[in-house]
Amino acid sequence: QVQLVESGGGLVQAGGSLRLSCAASGRTVNGRARGWFRQAPGKEREFVAAVRWTGGSTYYADSVKGRFTISRDIAKGTVYLQMNSLKPEDTGVYYCATHYSGSFYYTAAYEYWGQGTQVTVSS
């Protein structure tokens, strides 16, 4: 089994920054891409960003391009999401997941999920 643990969420004012971390343990999945999704109350879970483990290519939702940066630390098996210029519409629970097959942009393409970390951006 694989366990993903997210951390780094919190309450921040609009325009502020947060850095989320996603640590993996258990059966190694370090060869797989990893993604971040978020879910606001009453809304579907949506793609935020993804990074290929090999090569480090990155992918972003249009709504976060230029503000968020996803990265990975191969030695630690950890993925990060640096979030700058945060907006109230960025509020939600942020989930980390390991990619399995298919497009990075869809939840169905991911196999293992963390429990999520809450991000709240006040106006």
Side-chain angles (χ1 to χ4, degrees):
Q1 270 291 357
V2 174
Q3 292 81 41
L4 299 175
V5 179
E6 302 96 336
S7 61
L11 173 64
V12 64
Q13 289 187 334
S17 299
L18 284 174
R19 187 194 194 206
L20 306 184
S21 299
C22 172
S25 62
R27 183 170 64 88
T28 180
V29 289
N30 284 347
R32 300 188 185 178
R34 213 175 295 180
W36 285 98
F37 286 74
R38 66 187 181 190
Q39 189 166 18
K43 295 187 176 181
E44 292 188 354
R45 195 169 297 187
E46 65 174 3
F47 172 78
V48 175
V51 60
R52 290 188 182 273
W53 203 257
T54 302
S57 297
T58 57
Y59 308 83
Y60 296 95
D62 288 343
S63 59
V64 306
K65 280 181 183 176
R67 300 188 298 122
F68 291 11
T69 302
I70 188 171
S71 61
R72 85 263 191 259
D73 184 322
I74 295 175
K76 294 182 178 180
T78 299
V79 170
Y80 304 96
L81 185 68
Q82 177 66 44
M83 306 186 295
N84 299 327
S85 301
L86 282 161
K87 304 175 181 180
E89 50 264 44
D90 294 317
T91 294
V93 178
Y94 282 68
Y95 298 91
C96 172
T98 57
H99 181 258
Y100 179 70
S101 179
S103 170
F104 289 147
Y105 297 90
Y106 300 105
T107 58
Y110 293 78
E111 184 175 13
Y112 296 105
W113 293 81
Q115 292 300 306
T117 184
Q118 175 71 45
V119 171
T120 303
V121 184
S122 63
S123 58

